[in-house]
């Protein structure tokens, strides 16, 4: 099984209450691919500039990620500058230098054509739609977006949403996309735009999934499901939490023989686990040293955190 991901491979300059870093490795598909690589094979499509060195690519290849779909173009790599003030759940974008992304035309290498799962990471929805149209036979398509595209490129985004199975967005984006303050109504309106399921991420408070009636075979009775987030004493850098969540979630799904409601729910827990590791250090540092055993230990913590005995009185 393999996931094909398209998204940004980037350099980030970030300031958080814990410190400041300049031009460190980041990008929506970088975080996604690293997180998903603990569960399944991952193939990346993207573009980088001349400042992207072999040591940056090695962060991905050391985890077995297939980077043959990352093009090198003359110029500089996409560079995002952002900060987090009091609210660690929401980044303030200070600058977006598209650089080589400005002229990017995604091409899918022949060796990637048999990928069963597609993840449309956060980039221009026109590029997301272009990749989607070149992969008509995938089993499942999952995608992400951000306020920039909802606010200024809505028409393009709505075209992309029509062809999506699962959309991951955060609370603010769900409100912005739907015009609804209430989460249930927001989820319904978002699903009316196309996705069969929507996962609304609540930052440090977990995530909730909603399904359209009978979204997938076997999901006829599936109501909303809430997965927790681990209360952490310190969040060093929230950048990449959403993409790592997506990588854990989708990576786990791709590793399973069949998409069932139980697999979907466990996948949401693995998403939370991967997001919780990413925020412990700046950039991709924590994901680079992580082991599968640490992931499983934390998964157990997530289960304990949210486990309720049915017959508490007898326990
Ligand atoms: P998140 O997981 O939502 O924190 O996403 C963080 C990553 O998104 C950062 O590493 C950035 O490089 C990337 N990013 C920020 N803005 C954009 C954008 N407009 N297009 C593509 N990627 C972006």
């Amino acid at each position: 099984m393999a996931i094909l991901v398209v998204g940004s491979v980037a350099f980030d300059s970030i300031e958080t209450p814990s410190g400041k870093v300049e031009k460190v490795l980041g990008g929506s598909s970088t975080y996604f691919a690293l997180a998903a690589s603990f569960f399944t094979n991952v193939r990346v499509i993207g573009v980088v500039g001349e400042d992207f060195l072999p040591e940056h690519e090695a962060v991905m290849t050391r985890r077995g990620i297939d980077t043959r779909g990352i093009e090198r173009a003359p110029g500089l790599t996409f560079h995002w500058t952002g900060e987090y003030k009091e609210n660690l759940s929401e980044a303030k974008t200070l600058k977006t230098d598209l650089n080589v992304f400005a002229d990017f035309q995604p091409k899918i290498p022949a060796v990637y054509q048999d990928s069963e799962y597609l993840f449309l990471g956060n980039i221009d929805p026109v590029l997301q739609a272009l990749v989607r149209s070149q992969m008509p036979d995938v089993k499942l398509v999952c995608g992400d977006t951000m306020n920039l595209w909802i606010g200024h490129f809505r028409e393009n985004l709505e075209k992309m949403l029509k062809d999506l199975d699962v959309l991951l967005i955060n609370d603010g984006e769900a409100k912005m996309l739907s015009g609804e303050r209430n989460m249930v109504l927001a989820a319904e309106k978002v699903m009316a735009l196309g996705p069969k399921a929507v996962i609304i991420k609540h930052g440090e408070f977990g995530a909730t999934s909603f399904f359209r009636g009978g979204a997938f075979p076997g999901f006829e009775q599936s109501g909303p499901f809430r997965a927790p987030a681990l209360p952490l004493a310190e969040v060093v850098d929230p950048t990449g939490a959403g993409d790592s969540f997506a990588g854990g979630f989708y990576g786990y799904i791709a590793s399973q023989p069949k998409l069932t409601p139980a697999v979907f729910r466990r996948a949401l827990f693995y998403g939370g686990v991967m997001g919780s590791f990413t925020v412990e250090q700046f950039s991709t540092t924590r994901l680079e040293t992580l082991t599968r055993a640490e992931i499983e230990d934390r998964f157990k913590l997530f289960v304990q955190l949210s486990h309720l005995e049915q017959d508490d009185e007898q326990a």
Side-chain angles (χ1 to χ4, degrees):
M1 287 296 160
I3 299 180
L4 172 62
V5 54
V6 63
S8 55
V9 178
F11 287 125
D12 293 342
S13 296
I14 306 157
E15 186 166 2
T16 79
S18 303
K20 197 173 171 178
V21 288
E22 293 283 336
K23 279 197 88 171
V24 292
L25 182 61
S28 55
S29 58
T30 312
Y31 282 107
F32 176 92
L34 286 170
S37 70
F38 288 92
F39 302 90
T40 192
N41 298 318
V42 189
R43 300 158 166 178
V44 186
I45 292 189
V47 63
V48 293
E50 290 149 323
D51 51 350
F52 196 83
L53 304 176
E55 70 207 52
H56 300 118
E57 189 158 347
V59 170
M60 286 193 254
T61 50
R62 267 201 299 269
R63 286 239 22 92
I65 296 165
D66 190 335
T67 56
R68 285 177 291 176
I70 301 181
E71 270 174 56
R72 290 177 183 278
L76 295 175
T77 301
F78 175 87
H79 182 196
W80 177 74
T81 307
E83 66 176 13
Y84 302 80
K85 288 270 167 74
E86 304 78 41
N87 182 2
L88 280 171
S89 291
E90 209 167 324
K92 182 167 176 230
T93 296
L94 299 176
K95 211 158 162 249
T96 301
D97 296 311
L98 286 178
N99 299 332
V100 291
F101 246 110
D103 302 311
F104 179 50
Q105 286 296 315
K107 287 178 255 349
I108 301 177
V111 287
Y112 283 11
Q113 288 290 345
D114 61 352
S115 310
E116 297 90 346
Y117 294 86
L118 177 62
F119 187 76
L120 304 172
N122 172 32
I123 40 163
D124 185 337
V126 171
L127 298 179
Q128 291 178 315
L130 212 74
V131 172
R132 172 70 183 103
S133 67
Q134 292 177 67
M135 297 295 291
D137 299 325
V138 284
K139 272 169 81 172
L140 201 69
V141 192
C142 191
D144 189 7
T145 190
M146 73 183 289
N147 49 13
L148 171 71
W149 314 114
I150 300 171
H152 300 290
F153 301 87
R154 199 185 172 96
E155 211 176 300
N156 294 339
L157 181 66
E158 288 196 7
K159 277 190 207 146
M160 185 283 276
L161 290 176
K162 280 196 175 56
D163 244 349
L164 204 64
D165 293 315
V166 185
L167 176 69
L168 289 122
I169 42 177
N170 66 30
D171 287 304
E173 291 157 359
K175 280 182 194 146
M176 200 175 166
L177 185 55
S178 64
E180 292 286 348
R181 296 182 70 80
N182 176 285
M183 186 173 52
V184 177
L185 300 179
E188 278 170 10
K189 280 209 170 166
V190 171
M191 288 189 286
L193 295 172
K196 298 186 180 110
V198 59
I199 297 169
I200 302 186
K201 297 170 287 173
H202 319 302
E204 60 185 311
F205 303 113
T208 313
S209 58
F210 296 87
F211 305 93
R212 253 203 268 151
F216 309 105
F219 281 66
E220 290 74 18
Q221 308 298 323
S222 294
F225 180 75
R226 164 81 47 90
L230 191 69
L232 294 169
E234 190 189 16
V235 171
V236 171
D237 174 15
T239 310
D243 303 308
S244 306
F245 180 97
F249 165 77
Y250 211 34
Y252 180 73
I253 286 187
S255 75
Q256 298 301 299
K258 201 168 164 231
L259 179 61
T260 65
V263 164
F264 198 103
R265 291 195 293 265
R266 269 202 303 279
L268 287 173
F269 273 56
Y270 277 111
V273 166
M274 299 312 289
S276 77
F277 279 119
T278 290
V279 303
E280 288 180 0
Q281 291 176 20
F282 277 104
S283 183
T284 53
T285 322
R286 187 64 183 96
L287 293 181
E288 290 171 44
T289 59
L290 193 60
T291 64
R292 186 65 201 243
E294 286 178 303
I295 293 172
E296 294 309 324
D297 283 349
R298 192 161 287 186
F299 183 86
K300 287 186 198 125
L301 281 182
F302 270 68
V303 173
Q304 279 166 22
L305 182 71
S306 53
H307 185 75
L308 175 72
E309 297 291 345
Q310 291 286 17
D311 48 1
D312 261 346
E313 283 77 40
Q314 280 94 51

